[in-house]
Amino acid sequence: MTTTVRRARPDDATTLGAIHVRSWQRGYDGLLPADVLADLDPVARGQWWAQLLQAQDGTPDDTPGPVTHVAERGGAVVGFVGTGPVRGSDHGESASTAELFLYVDPEAWRGGVGRELMATATARLTRAGYTDAMLWVLEGNARAIGFYEATGWEHDGVRRVEVIPGVTAAELGYRRQLG
């Protein structure tokens, strides 16, 4: 099945909220407490996405600002990637370092959607003038780590502890050069 990648629109927010929650619930099963995963609210996450996408609306792809793209299959959104400036300053990033996050609906895992989103994200960041990019992955998330390493990312040795919906969890930093 063909994957089409396009800019996310504010009317995608509800779908992104649902995908975000489903991907966490499946991908973090066994890594985060079951009750925390069960309590994730796709409506609340959709509202968060509505605000984010509204703020991004009109941001050109070739500028450093935050931008989200979605992947569609058969007219349905099945994943998304957010790109832009690094959020925070965990380990000495410069203005030429971007950050990204990528989630795919579990029903579309291992079907090439993540690779399409990653290709779009890295091309977009290069056009925007970034020279390298970083991302965070939940420690122990072997599926995601395998994907990132297969697409050219390397663990940079940085580990941080974050509070992720009310639970403390470790994340690993990954980087790759762009262009």
Side-chain angles (χ1 to χ4, degrees), residues 57-145:
D57 201 27
T59 302
D61 265 5
D62 61 351
T63 62
V67 172
T68 301
H69 285 85
V70 297
E72 291 182 319
R73 283 203 166 158
V77 174
V78 294
F80 60 88
V81 62
T83 57
V86 172
R87 299 169 292 166
S89 58
D90 291 284
H91 50 313
E93 294 83 7
S94 70
S96 64
T97 302
E99 183 173 355
L100 71 80
F101 55 91
L102 187 151
Y103 291 94
V104 174
D105 193 304
E107 298 305 314
W109 284 355
R110 306 203 59 82
V113 173
R115 285 184 181 273
E116 292 284 338
L117 287 166
M118 186 64 74
T120 296
T122 56
R124 183 259 163 191
L125 291 171
T126 300
R127 283 191 315 274
Y130 291 105
T131 59
D132 67 310
M134 57 88 52
L135 59 81
W136 294 101
V137 61
L138 195 63
E139 189 172 52
N141 189 346
R143 182 196 51 77
I145 289 169

Side-chain angles (χ1 to χ4, degrees), residues 1-2 6-7 12 28 37 43 45 52 62 66-67 80 88 97-98 111-112 118 122 139-140 145 150 159 161 168 172:
M1 184 176 284
T2 302
R6 64 167 173 79
R7 280 288 295 266
D12 292 318
Y28 299 162
L37 294 173
V43 173
R45 183 51 53 164
L52 184 70
D62 61 351
V67 172
F80 60 88
T97 302
M118 186 64 74
T122 56
E139 189 172 52
I145 289 169
R159 180 181 187 267
V161 176
T168 301
L172 305 175

Side-chain angles (χ1 to χ4, degrees), residues 12-23 25 37-50:
D12 292 318
T14 299
T15 302
L16 296 189
I19 290 170
H20 210 162
V21 167
R22 282 194 303 270
S23 65
Q25 288 173 331
L37 294 173
D39 287 344
L40 294 175
D41 181 1
V43 173
R45 183 51 53 164
Q47 291 167 346
W48 179 86
W49 272 106

